Amino acid sequence: MKWKVLKVTLIILAILVAIVVAFALAISPVAKNYIEKHSKELIGRKVLMKDLHLNIFTGTLRLDAIRMYEANDKDVFASIDTFYMDLALLKLVGSQVDVTELKVVGPYAVIQQNGELFNFDDLIPKEDSTEVEEPSSFPKSIIIHNIYVNKGK
């Protein structure tokens, strides 16, 4: 009887581990696909990237060759060759965002003005005076260590 309970427990644990590993492996391509397909709805601009790596166990995020296009979906508005962030996951429990390392390699942006309008005006939210402001659930503090920026234009 003891062996049967142990065997069932080990099978359940193995299944749970397999589910967590499958989720960890699937999250990066699913997130990349979702961002690229829904970027127009989410921020109003088309976003494409070469690669996205998200490790849910270590709290690291790496984006390679990310491009945000102008409102016409043809010209590049802003891009980054490599974006890397390492987040201290345990600090999130205490409502604190603690970024232990932040690397931005090759940032690029084109800012153009046409009269009173800029090419990024559609990205800035419009103020709505009828909206009632609710208390934010955003973390109480954000700490960023080891910032590295290289090759920007």
Side-chain angles (χ1 to χ4, degrees), residues 15-32 52-61 89:
I15 291 171
L16 288 175
V17 167
I19 289 171
V20 169
V21 168
F23 176 76
L25 292 174
I27 195 165
S28 293
V30 168
K32 177 186 181 291
L52 181 145
H53 295 283
L54 177 63
N55 187 324
I56 60 171
F57 302 115
T58 62
T60 58
L61 169 68
L89 294 176

Side-chain angles (χ1 to χ4, degrees), residues 32-61:
K32 177 186 181 291
N33 188 36
Y34 183 83
I35 290 168
E36 288 184 342
K37 283 189 176 182
H38 299 283
S39 60
K40 195 83 168 164
E41 301 164 25
L42 296 170
I43 60 171
R45 298 281 181 98
K46 180 170 85 170
V47 173
L48 296 177
M49 64 189 87
K50 181 179 177 185
D51 217 353
L52 181 145
H53 295 283
L54 177 63
N55 187 324
I56 60 171
F57 302 115
T58 62
T60 58
L61 169 68

Side-chain angles (χ1 to χ4, degrees), residues 87-98 139-143:
L87 188 66
L89 294 176
L90 288 177
K91 302 256 179 134
L92 288 174
V93 176
S95 294
Q96 181 182 37
V97 175
D98 191 342
K140 293 178 177 33
S141 66
I142 300 173
I143 301 168

Side-chain angles (χ1 to χ4, degrees), residues 7 10 29 35 41 48 54 60 62 68 81 100 103-104 107 121 129-131 142 145:
K7 188 176 178 181
L10 287 176
I35 290 168
E41 301 164 25
L48 296 177
L54 177 63
T60 58
R62 191 182 86 231
M68 177 189 290
D81 291 339
T100 57
K103 287 184 183 178
V104 181
D121 284 342
S129 59
T130 61
E131 207 173 284
I142 300 173
H145 308 274

